[in-house]
Amino acid sequence: MSFFLSCVGCVCVGVILSAPMGPVGMLCVQQTLNKGRSAGLLTGFGAALSDWFYCWVVALSMTLIINFIERHTAELAIVGGVLLAFFSIVMMRARPQTETSSFKATSGIKAVIAGFLLAFSNPLIIFLIMPLLIYFDVPQPSYQWWHYSIAMTAILVGAMMWWLSVAWLVSHGRRSMSLVAVQRVNRVMGGIMLCLSAYSLWRGVNLIW
């Protein structure tokens, strides 16, 4: 496979890693409903940065990171569950805003950090990244640093294409929803994430015992 085709494949990798509507997707939707398109997009950007980081780790040190995850699966599951519970409670308590202009730079940074931490708390995504990168022939002995830089940038581009689509679609639907309806969506999504958090904690404790 040529390097150009590998880069096109990396764009697809970015979309594939972002597309499942798990906790990060729910957080992106909730932020878009509450604070507008920019908030949702920045949340997605934070998640994309986390996936981008993990892609670098996989591309440069496959064996080392896999051994670490296998040794600390229980601890990682517990930490991920705690983070997920925190974001679930914040989501259920969030109140939608009628004006999106109040979304300032500090809130934007918080949205990026929230998206990053929530995505970062699931290092098991590495086991999805690895076969995808191998399929598109990204880790090659002949690759120089600039090959990896371009390939990883392509992954980030693919991820942001997805999150831009999600934020745009949700923001358009938001206009036809009342604040009460938005708040109900927040609570439902928060409840689902809380269930996922409980499962992650149960799984971590089970592995330790």
Side-chain angles (χ1 to χ4, degrees), residues 134-183:
I134 292 174
Y135 181 81
F136 291 110
D137 291 335
V138 173
Q140 292 291 331
S142 60
Y143 278 6
Q144 303 296 321
W145 65 268
W146 59 271
H147 288 99
Y148 285 105
S149 297
I150 294 173
M152 296 302 112
T153 300
I155 291 173
L156 192 60
V157 168
M160 290 312 300
M161 286 170 58
W162 172 259
W163 292 119
L164 182 61
S165 301
V166 171
W168 185 84
L169 288 171
V170 175
S171 66
H172 275 261
R174 176 178 183 266
R175 296 174 185 173
S176 59
M177 296 177 69
S178 66
L179 294 182
V180 174
V182 173
Q183 202 158 21

mmCIF file of all heavy atoms in Angstrom, residues 134-183:
data_model
loop_
_atom_site.group_PDB
_atom_site.id
_atom_site.type_symbol
_atom_site.label_atom_id
_atom_site.label_comp_id
_atom_site.label_asym_id
_atom_site.label_seq_id
_atom_site.Cartn_x
_atom_site.Cartn_y
_atom_site.Cartn_z
ATOM 1 N N ILE A 134 -2.387 -1.323 11.520
ATOM 2 C CA ILE A 134 -1.720 -2.409 10.798
ATOM 3 C C ILE A 134 -2.382 -2.627 9.442
ATOM 4 O O ILE A 134 -1.708 -2.846 8.430
ATOM 5 C CB ILE A 134 -1.744 -3.701 11.633
ATOM 6 C CG1 ILE A 134 -0.850 -3.537 12.869
ATOM 7 C CG2 ILE A 134 -1.295 -4.901 10.807
ATOM 8 C CD1 ILE A 134 -0.923 -4.697 13.833
ATOM 9 N N TYR A 135 -3.723 -2.553 9.417
ATOM 10 C CA TYR A 135 -4.453 -2.767 8.168
ATOM 11 C C TYR A 135 -4.036 -1.745 7.106
ATOM 12 O O TYR A 135 -3.926 -2.064 5.921
ATOM 13 C CB TYR A 135 -5.954 -2.684 8.421
ATOM 14 C CG TYR A 135 -6.792 -2.906 7.190
ATOM 15 C CD1 TYR A 135 -7.054 -4.197 6.732
ATOM 16 C CD2 TYR A 135 -7.303 -1.826 6.473
ATOM 17 C CE1 TYR A 135 -7.811 -4.400 5.593
ATOM 18 C CE2 TYR A 135 -8.057 -2.028 5.337
ATOM 19 C CZ TYR A 135 -8.315 -3.313 4.898
ATOM 20 O OH TYR A 135 -9.058 -3.509 3.764
ATOM 21 N N PHE A 136 -3.798 -0.499 7.551
ATOM 22 C CA PHE A 136 -3.426 0.558 6.606
ATOM 23 C C PHE A 136 -1.917 0.751 6.506
ATOM 24 O O PHE A 136 -1.440 1.785 6.028
ATOM 25 C CB PHE A 136 -4.115 1.873 6.983
ATOM 26 C CG PHE A 136 -5.601 1.852 6.772
ATOM 27 C CD1 PHE A 136 -6.468 1.853 7.852
ATOM 28 C CD2 PHE A 136 -6.131 1.800 5.497
ATOM 29 C CE1 PHE A 136 -7.848 1.820 7.661
ATOM 30 C CE2 PHE A 136 -7.502 1.764 5.293
ATOM 31 C CZ PHE A 136 -8.361 1.776 6.379
ATOM 32 N N ASP A 137 -1.152 -0.212 6.969
ATOM 33 C CA ASP A 137 0.303 -0.232 6.806
ATOM 34 C C ASP A 137 1.000 1.012 7.346
ATOM 35 O O ASP A 137 1.935 1.527 6.739
ATOM 36 C CB ASP A 137 0.672 -0.404 5.318
ATOM 37 C CG ASP A 137 0.325 -1.785 4.801
ATOM 38 O OD1 ASP A 137 0.270 -2.716 5.624
ATOM 39 O OD2 ASP A 137 0.095 -1.929 3.592
ATOM 40 N N VAL A 138 0.549 1.497 8.505
ATOM 41 C CA VAL A 138 1.173 2.717 9.030
ATOM 42 C C VAL A 138 2.516 2.437 9.711
ATOM 43 O O VAL A 138 3.511 3.086 9.387
ATOM 44 C CB VAL A 138 0.213 3.448 9.996
ATOM 45 C CG1 VAL A 138 0.928 4.621 10.673
ATOM 46 C CG2 VAL A 138 -0.998 3.962 9.232
ATOM 47 N N PRO A 139 2.611 1.488 10.637
ATOM 48 C CA PRO A 139 3.942 1.270 11.230
ATOM 49 C C PRO A 139 4.837 0.514 10.244
ATOM 50 O O PRO A 139 4.666 -0.683 10.038
ATOM 51 C CB PRO A 139 3.639 0.413 12.465
ATOM 52 C CG PRO A 139 2.151 0.368 12.587
ATOM 53 C CD PRO A 139 1.619 0.619 11.239
ATOM 54 N N GLN A 140 5.766 1.210 9.642
ATOM 55 C CA GLN A 140 6.691 0.608 8.683
ATOM 56 C C GLN A 140 8.128 0.916 9.097
ATOM 57 O O GLN A 140 8.430 2.051 9.513
ATOM 58 C CB GLN A 140 6.442 1.150 7.270
ATOM 59 C CG GLN A 140 5.117 0.712 6.657
ATOM 60 C CD GLN A 140 5.096 -0.765 6.343
ATOM 61 O OE1 GLN A 140 6.128 -1.369 6.068
ATOM 62 N NE2 GLN A 140 3.924 -1.377 6.408
ATOM 63 N N PRO A 141 9.042 -0.041 8.998
ATOM 64 C CA PRO A 141 10.443 0.205 9.364
ATOM 65 C C PRO A 141 11.083 1.338 8.566
ATOM 66 O O PRO A 141 11.991 2.005 9.058
ATOM 67 C CB PRO A 141 11.130 -1.137 9.044
ATOM 68 C CG PRO A 141 10.025 -2.143 9.061
ATOM 69 C CD PRO A 141 8.803 -1.429 8.575
ATOM 70 N N SER A 142 10.591 1.540 7.355
ATOM 71 C CA SER A 142 11.198 2.566 6.495
ATOM 72 C C SER A 142 10.675 3.971 6.785
ATOM 73 O O SER A 142 11.191 4.953 6.257
ATOM 74 C CB SER A 142 10.935 2.231 5.022
ATOM 75 O OG SER A 142 9.544 2.185 4.765
ATOM 76 N N TYR A 143 9.657 4.093 7.629
ATOM 77 C CA TYR A 143 9.056 5.406 7.881
ATOM 78 C C TYR A 143 9.991 6.314 8.681
ATOM 79 O O TYR A 143 10.631 5.887 9.643
ATOM 80 C CB TYR A 143 7.740 5.265 8.636
ATOM 81 C CG TYR A 143 6.554 4.933 7.758
ATOM 82 C CD1 TYR A 143 6.712 4.648 6.402
ATOM 83 C CD2 TYR A 143 5.264 4.914 8.286
ATOM 84 C CE1 TYR A 143 5.628 4.344 5.608
ATOM 85 C CE2 TYR A 143 4.171 4.606 7.496
ATOM 86 C CZ TYR A 143 4.358 4.318 6.162
ATOM 87 O OH TYR A 143 3.280 4.023 5.376
ATOM 88 N N GLN A 144 10.025 7.571 8.270
ATOM 89 C CA GLN A 144 10.732 8.615 9.007
ATOM 90 C C GLN A 144 9.728 9.347 9.889
ATOM 91 O O GLN A 144 8.523 9.090 9.832
ATOM 92 C CB GLN A 144 11.408 9.591 8.040
ATOM 93 C CG GLN A 144 12.381 8.925 7.079
ATOM 94 C CD GLN A 144 13.557 8.287 7.789
ATOM 95 O OE1 GLN A 144 14.080 8.840 8.745
ATOM 96 N NE2 GLN A 144 13.975 7.109 7.317
ATOM 97 N N TRP A 145 10.221 10.292 10.690
ATOM 98 C CA TRP A 145 9.332 11.022 11.595
ATOM 99 C C TRP A 145 8.223 11.752 10.857
ATOM 100 O O TRP A 145 7.088 11.848 11.339
ATOM 101 C CB TRP A 145 10.143 12.021 12.441
ATOM 102 C CG TRP A 145 10.780 13.124 11.634
ATOM 103 C CD1 TRP A 145 12.025 13.117 11.092
ATOM 104 C CD2 TRP A 145 10.182 14.372 11.279
ATOM 105 N NE1 TRP A 145 12.268 14.277 10.415
ATOM 106 C CE2 TRP A 145 11.140 15.077 10.515
ATOM 107 C CE3 TRP A 145 8.954 14.964 11.529
ATOM 108 C CZ2 TRP A 145 10.880 16.346 10.003
ATOM 109 C CZ3 TRP A 145 8.690 16.230 11.019
ATOM 110 C CH2 TRP A 145 9.662 16.908 10.266
ATOM 111 N N TRP A 146 8.538 12.251 9.628
ATOM 112 C CA TRP A 146 7.521 13.018 8.911
ATOM 113 C C TRP A 146 6.420 12.114 8.355
ATOM 114 O O TRP A 146 5.270 12.550 8.213
ATOM 115 C CB TRP A 146 8.155 13.849 7.789
ATOM 116 C CG TRP A 146 8.910 13.074 6.753
ATOM 117 C CD1 TRP A 146 10.218 12.723 6.758
ATOM 118 C CD2 TRP A 146 8.366 12.549 5.529
ATOM 119 N NE1 TRP A 146 10.547 12.020 5.634
ATOM 120 C CE2 TRP A 146 9.426 11.905 4.848
ATOM 121 C CE3 TRP A 146 7.097 12.577 4.933
ATOM 122 C CZ2 TRP A 146 9.255 11.279 3.614
ATOM 123 C CZ3 TRP A 146 6.915 11.961 3.707
ATOM 124 C CH2 TRP A 146 7.984 11.322 3.055
ATOM 125 N N HIS A 147 6.747 10.843 8.078
ATOM 126 C CA HIS A 147 5.696 9.906 7.671
ATOM 127 C C HIS A 147 4.665 9.759 8.798
ATOM 128 O O HIS A 147 3.452 9.839 8.567
ATOM 129 C CB HIS A 147 6.292 8.524 7.363
ATOM 130 C CG HIS A 147 7.075 8.471 6.084
ATOM 131 N ND1 HIS A 147 8.442 8.552 6.057
ATOM 132 C CD2 HIS A 147 6.660 8.319 4.795
ATOM 133 C CE1 HIS A 147 8.861 8.454 4.806
ATOM 134 N NE2 HIS A 147 7.811 8.311 4.023
ATOM 135 N N TYR A 148 5.180 9.545 10.013
ATOM 136 C CA TYR A 148 4.287 9.381 11.157
ATOM 137 C C TYR A 148 3.502 10.662 11.436
ATOM 138 O O TYR A 148 2.311 10.614 11.783
ATOM 139 C CB TYR A 148 5.085 8.975 12.393
ATOM 140 C CG TYR A 148 5.539 7.541 12.368
ATOM 141 C CD1 TYR A 148 6.864 7.199 12.098
ATOM 142 C CD2 TYR A 148 4.643 6.500 12.616
ATOM 143 C CE1 TYR A 148 7.273 5.882 12.068
ATOM 144 C CE2 TYR A 148 5.048 5.175 12.592
ATOM 145 C CZ TYR A 148 6.369 4.870 12.315
ATOM 146 O OH TYR A 148 6.771 3.564 12.290
ATOM 147 N N SER A 149 4.159 11.809 11.303
ATOM 148 C CA SER A 149 3.487 13.089 11.565
ATOM 149 C C SER A 149 2.310 13.295 10.618
ATOM 150 O O SER A 149 1.215 13.701 11.037
ATOM 151 C CB SER A 149 4.479 14.245 11.423
ATOM 152 O OG SER A 149 5.511 14.142 12.378
ATOM 153 N N ILE A 150 2.515 13.010 9.348
ATOM 154 C CA ILE A 150 1.442 13.175 8.366
ATOM 155 C C ILE A 150 0.321 12.173 8.620
ATOM 156 O O ILE A 150 -0.870 12.521 8.587
ATOM 157 C CB ILE A 150 1.992 13.009 6.934
ATOM 158 C CG1 ILE A 150 2.964 14.148 6.606
ATOM 159 C CG2 ILE A 150 0.851 12.980 5.908
ATOM 160 C CD1 ILE A 150 3.679 13.983 5.280
ATOM 161 N N ALA A 151 0.687 10.928 8.912
ATOM 162 C CA ALA A 151 -0.324 9.895 9.163
ATOM 163 C C ALA A 151 -1.153 10.232 10.398
ATOM 164 O O ALA A 151 -2.388 10.111 10.384
ATOM 165 C CB ALA A 151 0.354 8.540 9.330
ATOM 166 N N MET A 152 -0.503 10.688 11.475
ATOM 167 C CA MET A 152 -1.239 11.029 12.695
ATOM 168 C C MET A 152 -2.106 12.267 12.498
ATOM 169 O O MET A 152 -3.205 12.372 13.049
ATOM 170 C CB MET A 152 -0.262 11.263 13.854
ATOM 171 C CG MET A 152 0.548 10.035 14.253
ATOM 172 S SD MET A 152 -0.455 8.615 14.741
ATOM 173 C CE MET A 152 -0.117 7.479 13.391
ATOM 174 N N THR A 153 -1.645 13.208 11.691
ATOM 175 C CA THR A 153 -2.456 14.384 11.378
ATOM 176 C C THR A 153 -3.704 13.969 10.607
ATOM 177 O O THR A 153 -4.802 14.511 10.825
ATOM 178 C CB THR A 153 -1.646 15.401 10.547
ATOM 179 O OG1 THR A 153 -0.499 15.806 11.297
ATOM 180 C CG2 THR A 153 -2.487 16.629 10.211
ATOM 181 N N ALA A 154 -3.565 12.992 9.712
ATOM 182 C CA ALA A 154 -4.707 12.490 8.951
ATOM 183 C C ALA A 154 -5.749 11.881 9.885
ATOM 184 O O ALA A 154 -6.961 12.045 9.682
ATOM 185 C CB ALA A 154 -4.247 11.462 7.919
ATOM 186 N N ILE A 155 -5.297 11.186 10.933
ATOM 187 C CA ILE A 155 -6.218 10.613 11.916
ATOM 188 C C ILE A 155 -6.976 11.722 12.639
ATOM 189 O O ILE A 155 -8.198 11.645 12.841
ATOM 190 C CB ILE A 155 -5.453 9.732 12.923
ATOM 191 C CG1 ILE A 155 -4.939 8.467 12.223
ATOM 192 C CG2 ILE A 155 -6.331 9.373 14.117
ATOM 193 C CD1 ILE A 155 -4.038 7.606 13.083
ATOM 194 N N LEU A 156 -6.254 12.772 13.022
ATOM 195 C CA LEU A 156 -6.879 13.902 13.713
ATOM 196 C C LEU A 156 -7.903 14.581 12.807
ATOM 197 O O LEU A 156 -8.984 14.974 13.258
ATOM 198 C CB LEU A 156 -5.809 14.890 14.157
ATOM 199 C CG LEU A 156 -6.234 15.991 15.139
ATOM 200 C CD1 LEU A 156 -6.752 15.384 16.437
ATOM 201 C CD2 LEU A 156 -5.066 16.927 15.430
ATOM 202 N N VAL A 157 -7.584 14.721 11.534
ATOM 203 C CA VAL A 157 -8.507 15.323 10.570
ATOM 204 C C VAL A 157 -9.784 14.493 10.458
ATOM 205 O O VAL A 157 -10.903 15.023 10.473
ATOM 206 C CB VAL A 157 -7.843 15.466 9.180
ATOM 207 C CG1 VAL A 157 -8.879 15.812 8.108
ATOM 208 C CG2 VAL A 157 -6.756 16.533 9.221
ATOM 209 N N GLY A 158 -9.629 13.174 10.364
ATOM 210 C CA GLY A 158 -10.791 12.301 10.280
ATOM 211 C C GLY A 158 -11.677 12.408 11.503
ATOM 212 O O GLY A 158 -12.914 12.474 11.389
ATOM 213 N N ALA A 159 -11.052 12.440 12.686
ATOM 214 C CA ALA A 159 -11.822 12.560 13.926
ATOM 215 C C ALA A 159 -12.586 13.880 13.975
ATOM 216 O O ALA A 159 -13.768 13.913 14.348
ATOM 217 C CB ALA A 159 -10.884 12.450 15.128
ATOM 218 N N MET A 160 -11.931 14.965 13.594
ATOM 219 C CA MET A 160 -12.586 16.273 13.634
ATOM 220 C C MET A 160 -13.691 16.392 12.590
ATOM 221 O O MET A 160 -14.680 17.099 12.805
ATOM 222 C CB MET A 160 -11.550 17.391 13.449
ATOM 223 C CG MET A 160 -10.621 17.571 14.634
ATOM 224 S SD MET A 160 -11.500 17.641 16.235
ATOM 225 C CE MET A 160 -12.555 19.071 15.997
ATOM 226 N N MET A 161 -13.569 15.709 11.467
ATOM 227 C CA MET A 161 -14.654 15.662 10.483
ATOM 228 C C MET A 161 -15.906 15.055 11.113
ATOM 229 O O MET A 161 -17.024 15.540 10.916
ATOM 230 C CB MET A 161 -14.223 14.851 9.255
ATOM 231 C CG MET A 161 -13.240 15.559 8.348
ATOM 232 S SD MET A 161 -12.535 14.450 7.073
ATOM 233 C CE MET A 161 -14.017 13.876 6.239
ATOM 234 N N TRP A 162 -15.703 14.001 11.894
ATOM 235 C CA TRP A 162 -16.841 13.359 12.562
ATOM 236 C C TRP A 162 -17.468 14.280 13.602
ATOM 237 O O TRP A 162 -18.683 14.476 13.636
ATOM 238 C CB TRP A 162 -16.400 12.052 13.218
ATOM 239 C CG TRP A 162 -17.489 11.470 14.083
ATOM 240 C CD1 TRP A 162 -17.589 11.529 15.434
ATOM 241 C CD2 TRP A 162 -18.646 10.768 13.619
ATOM 242 N NE1 TRP A 162 -18.723 10.908 15.863
ATOM 243 C CE2 TRP A 162 -19.405 10.428 14.769
ATOM 244 C CE3 TRP A 162 -19.121 10.390 12.360
ATOM 245 C CZ2 TRP A 162 -20.610 9.729 14.688
ATOM 246 C CZ3 TRP A 162 -20.321 9.690 12.289
ATOM 247 C CH2 TRP A 162 -21.050 9.375 13.434
ATOM 248 N N TRP A 163 -16.624 14.852 14.482
ATOM 249 C CA TRP A 163 -17.167 15.680 15.557
ATOM 250 C C TRP A 163 -17.811 16.956 15.028
ATOM 251 O O TRP A 163 -18.787 17.451 15.608
ATOM 252 C CB TRP A 163 -16.070 16.010 16.569
ATOM 253 C CG TRP A 163 -15.600 14.825 17.334
ATOM 254 C CD1 TRP A 163 -14.346 14.294 17.372
ATOM 255 C CD2 TRP A 163 -16.396 13.978 18.175
ATOM 256 N NE1 TRP A 163 -14.303 13.184 18.159
ATOM 257 C CE2 TRP A 163 -15.544 12.957 18.666
ATOM 258 C CE3 TRP A 163 -17.740 13.973 18.541
ATOM 259 C CZ2 TRP A 163 -16.008 11.963 19.525
ATOM 260 C CZ3 TRP A 163 -18.195 12.965 19.392
ATOM 261 C CH2 TRP A 163 -17.333 11.987 19.873
ATOM 262 N N LEU A 164 -17.290 17.483 13.938
ATOM 263 C CA LEU A 164 -17.918 18.648 13.314
ATOM 264 C C LEU A 164 -19.311 18.288 12.809
ATOM 265 O O LEU A 164 -20.263 19.062 12.963
ATOM 266 C CB LEU A 164 -17.044 19.161 12.156
ATOM 267 C CG LEU A 164 -17.551 20.411 11.418
ATOM 268 C CD1 LEU A 164 -17.639 21.586 12.380
ATOM 269 C CD2 LEU A 164 -16.607 20.750 10.261
ATOM 270 N N SER A 165 -19.443 17.112 12.225
ATOM 271 C CA SER A 165 -20.749 16.656 11.729
ATOM 272 C C SER A 165 -21.742 16.495 12.878
ATOM 273 O O SER A 165 -22.901 16.920 12.777
ATOM 274 C CB SER A 165 -20.597 15.327 10.980
ATOM 275 O OG SER A 165 -19.714 15.450 9.895
ATOM 276 N N VAL A 166 -21.280 15.877 13.978
ATOM 277 C CA VAL A 166 -22.158 15.671 15.128
ATOM 278 C C VAL A 166 -22.611 17.003 15.710
ATOM 279 O O VAL A 166 -23.808 17.220 15.961
ATOM 280 C CB VAL A 166 -21.443 14.838 16.217
ATOM 281 C CG1 VAL A 166 -22.258 14.807 17.512
ATOM 282 C CG2 VAL A 166 -21.202 13.420 15.720
ATOM 283 N N ALA A 167 -21.659 17.921 15.932
ATOM 284 C CA ALA A 167 -21.994 19.228 16.515
ATOM 285 C C ALA A 167 -22.946 20.004 15.612
ATOM 286 O O ALA A 167 -23.880 20.659 16.085
ATOM 287 C CB ALA A 167 -20.711 20.028 16.761
ATOM 288 N N TRP A 168 -22.736 19.929 14.303
ATOM 289 C CA TRP A 168 -23.595 20.658 13.358
ATOM 290 C C TRP A 168 -25.012 20.093 13.369
ATOM 291 O O TRP A 168 -25.992 20.849 13.436
ATOM 292 C CB TRP A 168 -23.003 20.560 11.946
ATOM 293 C CG TRP A 168 -23.759 21.371 10.938
ATOM 294 C CD1 TRP A 168 -23.631 22.698 10.665
ATOM 295 C CD2 TRP A 168 -24.781 20.872 10.059
ATOM 296 N NE1 TRP A 168 -24.493 23.072 9.670
ATOM 297 C CE2 TRP A 168 -25.218 21.972 9.285
ATOM 298 C CE3 TRP A 168 -25.365 19.626 9.851
ATOM 299 C CZ2 TRP A 168 -26.222 21.844 8.319
ATOM 300 C CZ3 TRP A 168 -26.364 19.495 8.896
ATOM 301 C CH2 TRP A 168 -26.777 20.600 8.144
ATOM 302 N N LEU A 169 -25.151 18.776 13.333
ATOM 303 C CA LEU A 169 -26.472 18.149 13.308
ATOM 304 C C LEU A 169 -27.239 18.410 14.606
ATOM 305 O O LEU A 169 -28.430 18.756 14.581
ATOM 306 C CB LEU A 169 -26.339 16.642 13.083
ATOM 307 C CG LEU A 169 -25.912 16.205 11.678
ATOM 308 C CD1 LEU A 169 -25.606 14.714 11.650
ATOM 309 C CD2 LEU A 169 -26.999 16.533 10.653
ATOM 310 N N VAL A 170 -26.549 18.266 15.750
ATOM 311 C CA VAL A 170 -27.217 18.467 17.035
ATOM 312 C C VAL A 170 -27.600 19.926 17.233
ATOM 313 O O VAL A 170 -28.681 20.229 17.742
ATOM 314 C CB VAL A 170 -26.318 17.982 18.193
ATOM 315 C CG1 VAL A 170 -26.952 18.306 19.547
ATOM 316 C CG2 VAL A 170 -26.081 16.487 18.083
ATOM 317 N N SER A 171 -26.727 20.847 16.813
ATOM 318 C CA SER A 171 -27.033 22.273 16.992
ATOM 319 C C SER A 171 -28.244 22.684 16.171
ATOM 320 O O SER A 171 -29.032 23.532 16.592
ATOM 321 C CB SER A 171 -25.821 23.130 16.622
ATOM 322 O OG SER A 171 -25.534 23.032 15.239
ATOM 323 N N HIS A 172 -28.439 22.078 15.003
ATOM 324 C CA HIS A 172 -29.618 22.384 14.189
ATOM 325 C C HIS A 172 -30.878 21.814 14.829
ATOM 326 O O HIS A 172 -31.927 22.454 14.811
ATOM 327 C CB HIS A 172 -29.448 21.827 12.774
ATOM 328 C CG HIS A 172 -28.695 22.755 11.875
ATOM 329 N ND1 HIS A 172 -29.303 23.589 10.983
ATOM 330 C CD2 HIS A 172 -27.368 23.007 11.765
ATOM 331 C CE1 HIS A 172 -28.404 24.310 10.332
ATOM 332 N NE2 HIS A 172 -27.207 23.972 10.800
ATOM 333 N N GLY A 173 -30.775 20.605 15.400
ATOM 334 C CA GLY A 173 -31.924 20.030 16.085
ATOM 335 C C GLY A 173 -32.249 20.765 17.368
ATOM 336 O O GLY A 173 -33.399 20.808 17.809
ATOM 337 N N ARG A 174 -31.246 21.380 17.977
ATOM 338 C CA ARG A 174 -31.400 22.089 19.240
ATOM 339 C C ARG A 174 -32.376 23.255 19.117
ATOM 340 O O ARG A 174 -33.106 23.575 20.059
ATOM 341 C CB ARG A 174 -30.031 22.600 19.687
ATOM 342 C CG ARG A 174 -29.996 23.447 20.947
ATOM 343 C CD ARG A 174 -28.558 23.820 21.246
ATOM 344 N NE ARG A 174 -28.441 24.566 22.488
ATOM 345 C CZ ARG A 174 -28.437 25.890 22.559
ATOM 346 N NH1 ARG A 174 -28.566 26.601 21.447
ATOM 347 N NH2 ARG A 174 -28.318 26.504 23.717
ATOM 348 N N ARG A 175 -32.420 23.865 17.960
ATOM 349 C CA ARG A 175 -33.269 25.047 17.772
ATOM 350 C C ARG A 175 -34.751 24.721 17.921
ATOM 351 O O ARG A 175 -35.547 25.576 18.287
ATOM 352 C CB ARG A 175 -33.017 25.648 16.383
ATOM 353 C CG ARG A 175 -31.594 26.177 16.212
ATOM 354 C CD ARG A 175 -31.344 26.621 14.786
ATOM 355 N NE ARG A 175 -29.955 27.014 14.585
ATOM 356 C CZ ARG A 175 -29.428 27.326 13.405
ATOM 357 N NH1 ARG A 175 -30.194 27.273 12.305
ATOM 358 N NH2 ARG A 175 -28.170 27.673 13.304
ATOM 359 N N SER A 176 -35.123 23.483 17.631
ATOM 360 C CA SER A 176 -36.525 23.099 17.708
ATOM 361 C C SER A 176 -36.880 22.442 19.037
ATOM 362 O O SER A 176 -38.007 21.991 19.226
ATOM 363 C CB SER A 176 -36.869 22.129 16.564
ATOM 364 O OG SER A 176 -36.067 20.969 16.639
ATOM 365 N N MET A 177 -35.919 22.391 19.976
ATOM 366 C CA MET A 177 -36.161 21.760 21.272
ATOM 367 C C MET A 177 -36.320 22.817 22.361
ATOM 368 O O MET A 177 -35.616 23.820 22.377
ATOM 369 C CB MET A 177 -34.998 20.820 21.635
ATOM 370 C CG MET A 177 -34.833 19.649 20.687
ATOM 371 S SD MET A 177 -33.401 18.620 21.120
ATOM 372 C CE MET A 177 -33.973 17.886 22.666
ATOM 373 N N SER A 178 -37.256 22.564 23.283
ATOM 374 C CA SER A 178 -37.424 23.465 24.420
ATOM 375 C C SER A 178 -36.332 23.185 25.451
ATOM 376 O O SER A 178 -35.687 22.137 25.430
ATOM 377 C CB SER A 178 -38.795 23.243 25.060
ATOM 378 O OG SER A 178 -38.867 21.948 25.628
ATOM 379 N N LEU A 179 -36.146 24.130 26.392
ATOM 380 C CA LEU A 179 -35.140 23.942 27.432
ATOM 381 C C LEU A 179 -35.467 22.746 28.315
ATOM 382 O O LEU A 179 -34.579 22.035 28.780
ATOM 383 C CB LEU A 179 -35.031 25.207 28.288
ATOM 384 C CG LEU A 179 -34.489 26.464 27.587
ATOM 385 C CD1 LEU A 179 -34.404 27.619 28.569
ATOM 386 C CD2 LEU A 179 -33.124 26.190 26.985
ATOM 387 N N VAL A 180 -36.776 22.515 28.539
ATOM 388 C CA VAL A 180 -37.189 21.367 29.351
ATOM 389 C C VAL A 180 -36.793 20.068 28.656
ATOM 390 O O VAL A 180 -36.295 19.131 29.285
ATOM 391 C CB VAL A 180 -38.710 21.400 29.602
ATOM 392 C CG1 VAL A 180 -39.151 20.133 30.324
ATOM 393 C CG2 VAL A 180 -39.085 22.627 30.411
ATOM 394 N N ALA A 181 -37.007 20.006 27.344
ATOM 395 C CA ALA A 181 -36.648 18.804 26.582
ATOM 396 C C ALA A 181 -35.143 18.570 26.617
ATOM 397 O O ALA A 181 -34.677 17.436 26.758
ATOM 398 C CB ALA A 181 -37.134 18.936 25.139
ATOM 399 N N VAL A 182 -34.369 19.651 26.479
ATOM 400 C CA VAL A 182 -32.907 19.535 26.528
ATOM 401 C C VAL A 182 -32.463 19.004 27.888
ATOM 402 O O VAL A 182 -31.577 18.150 27.990
ATOM 403 C CB VAL A 182 -32.245 20.891 26.244
ATOM 404 C CG1 VAL A 182 -30.745 20.812 26.469
ATOM 405 C CG2 VAL A 182 -32.527 21.327 24.811
ATOM 406 N N GLN A 183 -33.114 19.503 28.959
ATOM 407 C CA GLN A 183 -32.742 19.061 30.299
ATOM 408 C C GLN A 183 -33.068 17.576 30.495
ATOM 409 O O GLN A 183 -32.328 16.847 31.151
ATOM 410 C CB GLN A 183 -33.481 19.903 31.339
ATOM 411 C CG GLN A 183 -32.806 19.913 32.702
ATOM 412 C CD GLN A 183 -33.209 21.116 33.522
ATOM 413 O OE1 GLN A 183 -34.248 21.725 33.270
ATOM 414 N NE2 GLN A 183 -32.407 21.465 34.507
#
